[in-house]
Amino acid sequence: MCIRDWTADEAKLDVRLCQMVRLFDGGDPIKMSKRSGSFITVSELIEAMDKKVGPGLGEGVVRFIMLTRKNDAPLDKVSNSNNIQNIETLNQLERLIKTSNNCPLKNQALNTVFADGNPSSKIMLIGEAPGAEEDKLGKPFVGAAGQLLNKMLAAINLDRNSVYITNIVPWRPPNNRAPNTEEILQCLPFIQKHIEIVNPSMLVLLGGTAAKAILTTNHGITKLRSTWHTYNSPKLNLSIPTRAIFHPAFLLRSPAKKKEAWEDLLAIQKKI
Ligand code: URA
């Protein structure tokens, strides 16, 4: 496996590594270099990296690779990934996303939906992608799902001023379809940087798409909810307690699931 040949410095510095990692549809399998053609899962990759760079450090390196990767881009075309390394503020990040051209979803969207709420909040909510209303207004969660989200927040004494809200993907997928794996990967560096800048004490992932992308797993929301996870940002020293809960749009379609959502909300309230 080519991963065994990497030195820690290469893993951190060599931008060509970005081109060697590719997450395939359906989740976990990562195809390592096209030359070797061998497959490895994310957890195997982390485990192997742990052995290479030290126990507990592998996940950060894997996330770094994902942070800087750009699918099969020739070396001279990775500038957008490189630029993101220099981003330090939310304004800079918003500008970078608005001027980026690495995700075709942008071409069909009316607006880039960056974030809403309080950037100083310690609670960061991450949804999937904007819908029609969000696309029109350029703000996350302003449609029907957003109304329910407001009620869910109010039930645990929170509101839009006490949380910060964004999405995995900042552009509306056509016909409100879910973003596909490729689109999620194209936008992953943005959300990873977004978390790094906001530096929250808690992440709340709204629905399976956000949960899978942030927790780097192929498990569904039913398996991921009801327990605490941690998110480790490559640049932040702390592990961020992370809770995945049902997406409000799902709850609108499946009101019987509100009881379980309520249990998760109470767990979040207890931890605040
Ligand atoms: N659903 C989401 O996941 N995000 C939004 O912003 C709106 C609906």
Side-chain angles (χ1 to χ4, degrees), residues 40-138:
I40 189 168
T41 65
V42 171
S43 41
E44 283 168 348
L45 181 59
I46 291 172
E47 201 183 305
M49 266 298 176
D50 263 345
K51 286 193 190 127
K52 195 88 190 160
V53 297
L57 298 176
E59 188 175 359
V61 175
V62 172
R63 286 187 188 282
F64 174 87
I65 292 166
M66 288 177 156
L67 191 76
T68 52
R69 74 180 285 288
K70 190 135 192 277
N71 282 342
D72 297 321
L75 282 185
D76 59 350
K77 292 228 176 112
V78 294
S79 56
N80 201 28
S81 317
N82 284 342
N83 286 347
I84 206 163
Q85 307 301 319
N86 305 324
I87 296 290
E88 286 176 353
T89 68
L90 290 175
N91 282 344
Q92 289 172 344
L93 180 63
E94 185 169 7
R95 217 173 311 131
L96 178 82
I97 294 175
K98 285 183 169 164
T99 55
S100 78
N101 56 6
N102 65 333
C103 179
L105 284 179
K106 186 181 182 190
N107 303 333
Q108 300 172 59
L110 296 174
N111 275 301
T112 297
V113 177
F114 184 66
D116 191 28
N118 181 354
S120 309
S121 168
K122 288 288 144 199
I123 307 167
M124 183 168 182
L125 273 56
I126 305 176
E128 178 177 303
E133 285 300 303
E134 290 77 16
D135 187 35
K136 244 184 261 163
L137 299 176

Side-chain angles (χ1 to χ4, degrees), residues 113 127-131 134 139-141 145 167 247:
V113 177
E128 178 177 303
E134 290 77 16
K139 266 192 181 187
F141 286 99
N167 282 306
H247 194 289

Side-chain angles (χ1 to χ4, degrees), residues 255-270:
K257 294 286 181 185
K258 283 186 182 171
K259 184 175 169 292
E260 287 156 74
W262 176 237
E263 288 163 8
D264 284 325
L265 289 172
L266 287 179
I268 289 167
Q269 186 179 37
K270 204 167 157 199

Side-chain angles (χ1 to χ4, degrees), residues 28-42:
D28 273 347
I30 277 189
K31 187 181 182 194
M32 301 306 295
S33 91
K34 281 187 183 146
R35 241 177 321 133
S36 77
S38 35
F39 285 82
I40 189 168
T41 65
V42 171

